[in-house]
Structure formats: structure tokens, C-alpha cells
């Protein structure tokens, strides 16, 4: 069976926890799904209109997390870490059942999702995968926040930079090749915020479930979490995880190169909306191993993308 065929998970994954912003308790079940299902969310606390598709045009808010809504205004939020995990692990199809409006934040990273997927294992199908190939360079900026995507041969590269006035965070930059690099540090990197922003977020009715158990909190030049950082570039690595998750809302894996400075959920979404506005910006390719000329894509690369 071709490694380029669509994949799902072997068995149900059940997790529970608290929503970062809502503070609500939530049960989450990730279920295997048939080829060509894609990733779908189902709000099982509701009897009807409860399916929400993680698509860039369904993003109803991207300020502090990514929220998607269906045409009946049924929403599910903070989907980005799970979406990033599914992207990185090559899961094309899964049905995600949730009994509340926000995904559990768990430890603030994608670590628990990755461990759970590795535990149940991955199931291959006999249906080829599709990919989105970027054909032209597209850029979107909002003041100092800049993001662009341009064509690449076979990889998805993410080059991300963040700049904080806070000296401990400061300027951090990292580049990953999503289909080739070891993504452990990316998956393990937690969400973070400045201590002085915690009160502001709470006044806005956000971060109700936030704690040192699920977020890094930085106060001046100090990290308030006893255990410190999990890796040297944890701040920017978390932004790369967010970016991967937000990119997966394109529907398929992407071949292209992202360069981003000071971006976030909203900027990634705005870039993708711009890309998909014009059909000459991209092509959707069904990858069949047999039909590929070996001169273009060698086996090692195929293994990396699948
Ligand atoms: Zn995040």
C-alpha cells in the first residue's frame, strides 16, 4: 500500500480537560474516519446543525485562538494545537466529537495529542492524498506584522520570527521543514503570555481556564512556571505549532514556504484567504506514487510528505 495514501487513526482517542478561555470542562473523542472525510468537528452536546468544518472561510475569530463556526453559528474554539498535531502526524481523516464549545487546553502544547496518536497508531487507506501546491508568491501585512507564502519544490518550510519588548522573550526566530525536521520541540512548546496581560485577558472574559499548568507566564525577566522552559526557543516554536494548525485549515497539506514576522492566527488566516481568492495562486494535486516521474520527486521526499 502506498505511503502516499490517506491516513486516519487506528482507534478512538478520548481526552478531557478545560478550555483555556472559557474555563469549561470538556470531553473530546477523536475517531477514525473514512478516506475523503477530511477533519470534521461535531458538537455532540447539540442535537442538530452540530457539524463544523475546519476551513479557512469558517474561521469566525482568530484573535487569541482560532474559532470556527458553521452557518448556524455553532462554534468550536482553540482548535489550533490539535490541528497542528494532526497536520504533523499526517492524519488526513478524523471525526472529532466534543461536548462543549472549546477544546481542552491540556498542557498548553500539542504533546498530549501526539502521545495519544502514537499510542493508538495510524491506519493507511488505499485512497491517494491530495496536496496544495503554491504557484505564486503572496504576501499579507498589517503594519509590522508580515507573512508571505511562496512556491517550494516538495517541502513546507515555516520561517517564523517574533519580537517582544519583554527582554526575556525578546526576538526569537526558527525555521522548520514540516515534512522532514524533528518536530518534537514544536509539539511540546506551550502557549505563553505576559503576566501584565493576564488581568486584561480576564477582564475581557478570556483565559478563565488559564494557569501555570497550561501556559508559560513571563513576568519581567522571569518565568513564573517552576519547571522553566521546555526548549530554548519555546516561544517561537509555539507560534510555529499555531501556524501549522492554522495552515491545515486549507484542507490539505501545503507545498510552499512561509516567512512570517510577528504574525499569529489572524494573519495566517488572512494570508490563506488571499491565496484562495485567485485560482492561479495554487493548484490541488492528487499524488499517486505510480504516476510520478522519479526525476521530479524521489522516494525519500515522498516518505517525508506523506
Ligand atoms: Zn497556541
Amino acid at each position: 500500500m502506498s505511503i502516499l495514501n490517506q491516513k486516519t487513526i487506528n482507534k478512538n482517542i478520548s481526552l478531557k480537560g478545560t478550555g483555556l478561555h472559557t474555563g469549561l470542562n470538556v470531553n473530546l473523542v477523536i475517531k477514525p474516519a473514512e478516506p475523503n472525510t477530511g477533519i470534521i468537528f461535531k458538537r455532540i452536546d447539540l442535537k442538530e446543525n452540530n457539524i463544523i468544518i475546519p476551513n479557512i472561510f469558517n474561521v469566525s475569530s482568530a484573535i487569541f485562538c482560532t474559532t470556527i463556526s458553521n452557518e448556524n453559528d455553532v462554534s468550536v474554539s482553540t482548535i489550533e494545537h490539535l490541528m497542528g498535531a494532526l497536520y504533523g502526524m499526517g492524519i488526513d481523516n478524523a471525526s472529532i466529537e466534543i461536548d462543549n464549545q472549546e477544546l481542552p487546553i491540556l498542557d498548553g502544547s500539542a504533546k498530549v495529542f501526539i502521545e495519544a496518536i502514537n499510542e493508538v497508531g495510524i491506519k493507511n487507506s488505499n485512497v491517494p492524498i491530495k496536496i496544495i501546491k503554491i504557484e505564486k508568491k503572496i504576501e499579507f501585512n498589517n503594519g509590522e506584522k508580515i507573512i508571505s507564502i511562496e512556491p517550494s519544490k516538495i517541502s513546507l518550510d515555516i520561517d517564523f520570527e517574533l519580537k517582544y519588548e519583554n527582554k526575556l522573550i525578546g526576538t526569537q526566530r526558527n525555521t522548520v521543514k514540516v515534512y522532514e525536521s524533528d518536530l518534537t520541540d514544536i509539539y511540546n512548546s506551550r502557549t505563553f503570555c505576559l503576566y501584565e496581560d493576564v488581568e486584561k485577558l480576564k477582564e475581557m472574559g478570556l483565559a478563565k481556564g488559564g494557569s501555570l499548568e497550561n501556559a508559560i507566564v513571563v513576568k519581567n525577566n522571569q518565568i513564573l512556571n517552576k519547571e522553566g522552559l521546555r526548549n530554548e526557543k519555546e516561544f517561537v516554536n509555539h507560534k510555529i505549532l499555531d501556524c501549522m494548525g492554522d495552515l491545515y485549515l486549507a484542507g490539505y497539506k501545503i507545498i510552499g514556504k512561509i516567512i512570517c514576522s510577528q504574525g499569529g492566527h489572524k494573519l495566517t488566516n488572512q494570508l490563506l484567504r488571499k491565496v484562495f481568492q485567485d485560482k492561479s495562486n495554487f493548484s490541488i494535486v492528487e499524488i499517486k506514487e505510480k504516476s510520478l516521474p522519479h526525476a521530479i520527486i524521489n522516494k525519500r521526499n515522498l516518505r517525508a510528505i506523506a
Side-chain angles (χ1 to χ4, degrees):
M1 204 172 284
S2 169
I3 51 158
L4 288 170
N5 287 346
Q6 295 182 31
K7 294 171 197 66
T8 188
I9 48 172
N10 267 328
K11 286 194 287 191
N12 287 3
I13 291 171
S14 299
L15 296 165
K16 58 179 168 187
T18 308
L20 174 64
H21 291 299
T22 56
L24 294 167
N25 290 327
V26 55
N27 293 290
L28 179 79
V29 183
I30 310 170
K31 296 184 164 180
E34 292 299 313
N36 296 325
T37 305
I39 308 295
I40 60 170
F41 285 88
K42 187 175 181 185
R43 283 274 304 267
I44 57 163
D45 54 321
L46 304 172
K47 287 217 165 62
E48 29 184 53
N49 304 318
N50 57 359
I51 304 285
I52 313 152
I53 308 292
N55 176 288
I56 55 160
F57 298 106
N58 290 344
V59 172
S60 50
S61 170
I63 309 291
F64 296 102
C65 64
T66 300
T67 302
I68 48 168
S69 305
N70 66 16
E71 63 281 8
N72 296 94
D73 278 335
V74 172
S75 70
V76 60
S77 60
T78 317
I79 62 167
E80 57 271 19
H81 306 156
L82 174 56
M83 291 300 287
L86 295 172
Y87 192 142
M89 296 296 284
I91 306 297
D92 305 284
N93 303 297
S95 171
I96 300 156
E97 295 189 356
I98 181 166
D99 65 355
N100 218 320
Q101 68 191 68
E102 185 179 14
L103 264 72
I105 189 64
L106 305 169
D107 71 346
S109 76
K111 187 171 182 271
V112 178
F113 296 129
I114 297 294
E115 286 169 353
I117 294 167
N118 279 326
E119 204 179 300
V120 299
I122 293 172
K123 187 180 168 189
N124 216 332
S125 74
N126 52 16
V127 181
I129 59 166
K130 287 180 183 158
I131 53 157
I132 296 162
K133 197 169 185 312
I134 298 298
E135 306 285 2
K136 279 186 201 162
K137 181 171 179 174
I138 307 293
E139 197 174 284
F140 188 91
N141 68 326
N142 178 3
E144 289 191 330
K145 300 175 180 176
I146 304 168
I147 189 166
S148 64
I149 191 161
E150 60 193 89
S152 87
K153 271 194 184 145
I154 189 71
S155 62
L156 171 66
D157 300 347
I158 302 179
D159 177 344
F160 207 107
E161 177 187 58
L162 57 75
K163 287 179 185 169
Y164 268 66
E165 275 176 30
N166 176 285
K167 293 228 165 51
L168 189 136
I169 302 175
T171 297
Q172 273 194 353
R173 185 172 177 182
N174 200 8
T175 307
V176 296
K177 287 187 175 294
V178 172
Y179 311 131
E180 292 155 58
S181 305
D182 177 357
L183 298 176
T184 309
D185 281 352
I186 306 294
Y187 295 138
N188 289 351
S189 291
R190 293 159 293 171
T191 194
F192 61 93
C193 73
L194 297 172
Y195 178 78
E196 56 264 37
D197 289 338
V198 173
E199 276 311 303
K200 275 186 232 160
L201 284 167
K202 296 218 160 151
E203 274 167 29
M204 292 166 80
L206 295 167
K208 285 180 189 156
S211 76
L212 293 174
E213 303 297 310
N214 54 36
I216 308 167
V217 181
V218 180
K219 188 179 185 184
N220 302 320
N221 59 354
Q222 210 190 339
I223 290 165
L224 298 188
N225 310 61
K226 260 193 229 139
E227 70 280 15
L229 293 179
R230 289 181 175 175
N231 58 75
E232 225 174 279
K233 292 186 177 176
E234 188 165 1
F235 303 110
V236 74
N237 284 343
H238 184 79
K239 300 292 277 188
I240 293 173
L241 172 67
D242 282 345
C243 187
M244 277 174 63
D246 290 333
L247 287 174
Y248 206 18
L249 273 69
Y252 303 114
K253 287 187 167 188
I254 296 175
I255 302 288
K257 180 177 184 179
I258 294 267
I259 302 173
C260 183
S261 181
Q262 303 180 72
H265 306 301
K266 195 168 182 192
L267 214 66
T268 308
N269 188 251
Q270 283 165 316
L271 175 76
L272 290 177
R273 282 178 190 244
K274 198 170 166 183
V275 169
F276 289 103
Q277 248 169 36
D278 183 342
K279 283 188 173 159
S280 69
N281 291 338
F282 67 96
S283 52
I284 296 178
V285 189
E286 186 170 282
I287 299 202
K288 287 183 186 153
E289 200 170 354
K290 274 184 199 155
S291 61
L292 282 173
H294 280 231
I296 296 179
I297 302 174
N298 72 38
K299 269 233 159 158
R300 197 186 66 84
N301 287 332
L302 292 184
R303 212 167 294 280
I305 193 181

